[in-house]
Structure formats: C-alpha cells, structure tokens
Amino acid sequence: MSNHDETAENRLRKELPEEVPAGAAETVAPAVQQEAERAGLTGRQRLVKGLWPPRITRAQLIVAVLLFGLGFGLAVQVASNSDGDSALRGARQEDLVRILDELDDRTQRLEDEKQGLEKQRDELENSSNQAEEARKQTVEKERQLGILAGTVAAQGPGITMTIDDTKGTVEADMLLDAIQELRAAGAEAIQVNGVRVVASTYLTDSGNSVSVDGNKINAPYRFKVIGKPQDLEPALNIPGGVVQTLEKEQATVTIERSDKIVVDALRAAKRPDYARSSSQ
C-alpha cells in the first residue's frame, strides 16, 4: 500500500467515532433507559412513587399512637361536657334549685373545715402558751374541787351563825335544815364546830348533843359559812325559816356578816368504792 492510501485511512478513522467496548455498552443501556422512563413521569406520579409503599420508622409509629390517644381523649371530654350541659339545660327549675343548694352546702362545709383547720393550726403554733394556760386552768379547777370536797382550806366573805342551846332542845334535823338553807342560798364552804361540811355529810342525834359525820359536837353550835352575805342572812331569817324555828325551841341565834371568813377544817380525800370517771 502506498503512503497516499495510509494517509487517507488515518483521516477517515479520526472522523469516525471510537468503538465502544461490548461490556460498557451493556452497562450504559439500563441507565439510559431509566433516565428515559424518569423523564416520561409527571410530578404527581413521581410524588406517589416516593410515598408508596410507605417506609415507617418506630419513632413515627409511637408519635402516631400518642396523637391518636390525645385526640380520642379530647373528643371524649368534649362529649362529656356537652352531655352535662344538655342535662342542665333540660333540668327542671326545682332540680336546678336543689343542685344550687347542694353546691352551697358543700361550699359551707368546706369553709367550716377550713376554719377548723386554721384554728388547729393556730393552736399548734401557740402550743406552748396553750399548754401553760391548760396547766393554770387545771390547777384552778383542782383548787375549786378541793374547796367543794373539803380537802383544802378556803377563805372569803360570808357569815358566822352561832346557835346557843341552853335547854338542849336543838336536834340534828334542825341543824341539817340550816345547812340545806345555806346551800340553797349559795354557800360555797361550811364548817360547824371544827367539822367540814361536804356533800356526803350526815347529822345524827347523840344524847343531848349532835354528831356530824360521826364527830360529836356540843352547843353552842357555830357555823362558819363562805358565800354572799347579802343572800345568806336573809335566807336564814325568812318567816318560818331556820331562825324562827330555832327560837321556838328557846335557842338563841346570832348572825354576823364578815368580809373574811376562814374555813380551815379539812377532810381526807376518799376514793369511791364503786364510782369511776366515765371519761376513762
């Protein structure tokens, strides 16, 4: 072959495209086909193709369940409120009045409970003062009961009544009437010839004298009484009363008022055989 023919052949090879290997052609063909198919789809078709089939993660599933539960709860609440409102709208006037009364009663009970709790709080805050006050009241109560029981001495305004029985005609029942009249007039402490008179006191005749709780006393009988003198003396001097009865028996009765009467005869505290405090 001449040089002229080789030059023409080389020029022809440059103008023609290079040969593509067989394997490369097989690889490029599907890609080109997919690109062509994609170019032929619309936007909506590509969106549907991207969403379906769905690819749901575990986190998305949990969020979906929570949202469903929240929505269901809200729906139930709204339905309940609607039912309650419908019931009230359909209620009779007397039923509405009754409901309002019940609400008022409940409000009052809660207010009372609140006040009670506030009072307990204040008492607890002032517990030290309360304890001291309770102790003082206990001591005072014990002193008062001691006066009535005759276990402690007492003093105060009152009267002194002296019965002089020279004939020996005064009997136990006459002295008992005097004690009862003094108690009815407000006597708080009584002493007869050194014997303290208490709730259980009894009087008996003992020959020409009288016994008080088994203690024999002789005339003149001297009563020391603590109470309001303005009430005690008139009670003894009423017509047909103690003084007139004793004077009929030829006894002499004298009554003196005083701003300070001392009753110092004491009685030993006795424990009851059968009676017990009901608070135990």
Side-chain angles (χ1 to χ4, degrees), residues 18-32:
E18 296 181 356
E19 295 181 1
V20 179
E26 294 176 359
T27 304
V28 173
V32 174

Side-chain angles (χ1 to χ4, degrees), residues 19-276:
E19 295 181 1
V20 179
E26 294 176 359
T27 304
V28 173
V32 174
Q33 184 178 1
Q34 291 179 1
E35 185 67 23
E37 293 177 355
R38 186 178 301 174
L41 295 176
T42 64
R44 180 178 298 177
Q45 292 174 339
R46 288 197 300 272
L47 177 61
V48 172
K49 188 175 182 181
L51 294 176
W52 190 265
R55 293 181 292 276
I56 301 176
T57 63
R58 183 178 181 181
Q60 292 174 338
L61 181 60
I62 294 175
V63 171
V65 172
L66 293 176
L67 290 176
F68 175 78
L70 179 61
F72 181 77
L74 290 174
V76 172
Q77 183 67 29
V78 171
S80 300
N81 293 336
S82 300
D83 294 340
D85 294 341
S86 300
L88 291 177
R89 283 195 296 268
R92 297 176 300 175
Q93 182 177 0
E94 52 269 24
D95 294 335
L96 294 175
V97 173
R98 178 179 53 81
I99 293 173
L100 289 175
D101 292 339
E102 292 177 354
L103 291 176
D104 291 339
D105 294 340
R106 183 180 301 176
T107 302
Q108 185 62 42
R109 288 195 300 270
L110 292 175
E111 184 65 25
D112 294 341
E113 183 177 357
K114 175 187 174 184
Q115 293 179 358
L117 293 175
E118 289 178 349
K119 182 178 180 180
Q120 292 180 3
R121 181 198 62 190
D122 295 339
E123 291 177 351
L124 290 175
E125 290 177 351
N126 301 325
S127 58
S128 59
N129 296 335
Q130 293 290 335
E132 181 63 22
E133 183 64 24
R135 188 190 66 80
K136 291 180 180 179
Q137 292 181 4
T138 301
V139 172
E140 179 64 20
K141 191 68 175 179
E142 181 181 0
R143 187 186 66 83
Q144 294 174 358
L145 293 176
I147 292 175
L148 296 177
T151 58
V152 298
Q155 68 178 20
I159 64 171
T160 299
M161 179 176 68
T162 304
I163 302 174
D164 192 0
D165 179 25
T166 58
K167 303 293 185 180
T169 56
V170 175
E171 297 179 350
D173 59 340
M174 300 177 186
L175 299 183
L176 181 60
D177 289 341
I179 292 174
Q180 298 287 25
E181 195 67 46
L182 289 169
R183 282 175 172 170
E188 297 176 352
I190 303 174
Q191 176 177 314
V192 182
N193 286 30
V195 180
R196 187 71 168 266
V197 176
V198 295
S200 60
T201 293
Y202 63 94
L203 288 84
T204 58
D205 292 319
S206 179
N208 292 329
S209 60
V210 176
S211 292
V212 181
D213 290 336
N215 299 295
K216 186 177 180 179
I217 59 175
N218 298 313
Y221 305 112
R222 189 180 187 190
F223 286 69
K224 298 172 69 175
V225 186
I226 295 178
K228 189 176 180 180
Q230 295 86 346
D231 295 338
L232 297 175
E233 183 179 1
L236 297 172
N237 284 313
I238 60 175
V242 173
V243 173
Q244 286 191 0
T245 301
L246 291 171
E247 289 177 347
K248 287 181 180 180
E249 299 296 331
Q250 299 182 353
T252 303
V253 181
T254 58
I255 300 175
E256 297 179 358
R257 298 185 183 186
S258 175
D259 293 333
K260 183 179 180 181
I261 299 292
V262 177
V263 175
D264 52 6
L266 303 180
R267 300 288 294 266
K270 182 181 178 181
R271 180 182 179 85
D273 295 330
Y274 306 102
R276 295 292 183 269

